[in-house]
Amino acid sequence: MARNEPQEGHQLSMASEDYLESIYRLMGKDDAGDGVRSVDVADQLGVSKASVNKALSTLKDAGMVEQTRYGRVRLTQKGSSYAARVWRSHRTLRSFLVNDLGVDYETADDEACLMEHYLSEDTMDRWCDYLERQGLKVDE
């Protein structure tokens, strides 16, 4: 399945979800109420600034982010909700893989990223809720 096509049950493509998640994480890390710089997103994801700018255009069209010309990027309410769900899924899956299955952290992080994009929102929410009820400790 292509990274640039939305998976069934997802509003955004895998790549767009990764960009959205990165913005969310950067905003939380720095308490960036005024937004984050696109160069920081590029650094975190290991991509070019041009790739970030293209992704931001897609995310703006989807109503997920706002950005003034050459300015900082901020999540809209819609974008923040979507990104929070994706980041929760990622952290929960990674914790499950590491803590319950003994997968090494880097592999678990990579595979959690893949899984968060392929499972439907409903299935992912049900699985995360189940794991949390079972007492899974979710790392940051």
Side-chain angles (χ1 to χ4, degrees), residues 6 15 23 37 49 51 64 91:
I23 295 164
R37 300 178 313 155
K49 193 166 181 289
S51 294
M64 301 286 181
R91 291 183 353 260

Side-chain angles (χ1 to χ4, degrees), residues 1 3 12 22 28 31-33 46 62 66 69 79 87 91 110 134 139:
M1 293 187 182
R3 287 189 52 78
L12 299 173
S22 176
D31 192 31
E66 298 171 337
R69 188 164 177 83
W87 182 226
R91 291 183 353 260
D110 291 344
Q134 299 306 308
D139 61 353

Side-chain angles (χ1 to χ4, degrees), residues 36-133:
V36 299
R37 300 178 313 155
S38 58
V39 68
D40 294 330
V41 175
D43 289 345
Q44 185 179 68
L45 294 176
V47 298
S48 70
K49 193 166 181 289
S51 294
V52 174
N53 289 334
K54 182 177 179 185
L56 289 177
S57 178
T58 299
L59 292 171
K60 284 181 221 172
D61 291 346
M64 301 286 181
V65 299
E66 298 171 337
Q67 180 184 32
T68 57
R69 188 164 177 83
Y70 304 112
R72 291 182 171 255
V73 179
R74 287 187 302 276
L75 296 172
T76 63
Q77 181 60 43
K78 179 180 177 182
S80 183
S81 295
Y82 195 102
R85 185 187 55 76
V86 173
W87 182 226
R88 173 190 181 225
S89 299
H90 185 109
R91 291 183 353 260
T92 302
L93 290 169
R94 182 180 60 205
S95 292
F96 172 72
L97 293 171
V98 170
N99 298 328
D100 290 29
L101 300 183
V103 177
D104 73 88
Y105 186 88
E106 282 189 36
T107 300
D109 194 52
D110 291 344
E111 291 178 351
C113 186
L114 293 171
M115 290 169 26
E116 75 192 29
H117 301 299
Y118 282 101
L119 296 174
S120 71
E121 182 177 345
D122 180 59
T123 299
M124 192 72 256
D125 286 343
R126 287 171 188 256
W127 193 8
C128 288
D129 290 344
Y130 172 79
L131 291 171
E132 289 167 359
R133 284 192 311 273

Side-chain angles (χ1 to χ4, degrees), residues 24-37 40 72:
Y24 182 82
R25 292 173 61 196
L26 288 166
M27 288 185 73
K29 186 183 295 184
D30 300 326
D31 192 31
D34 60 340
V36 299
R37 300 178 313 155
D40 294 330
R72 291 182 171 255

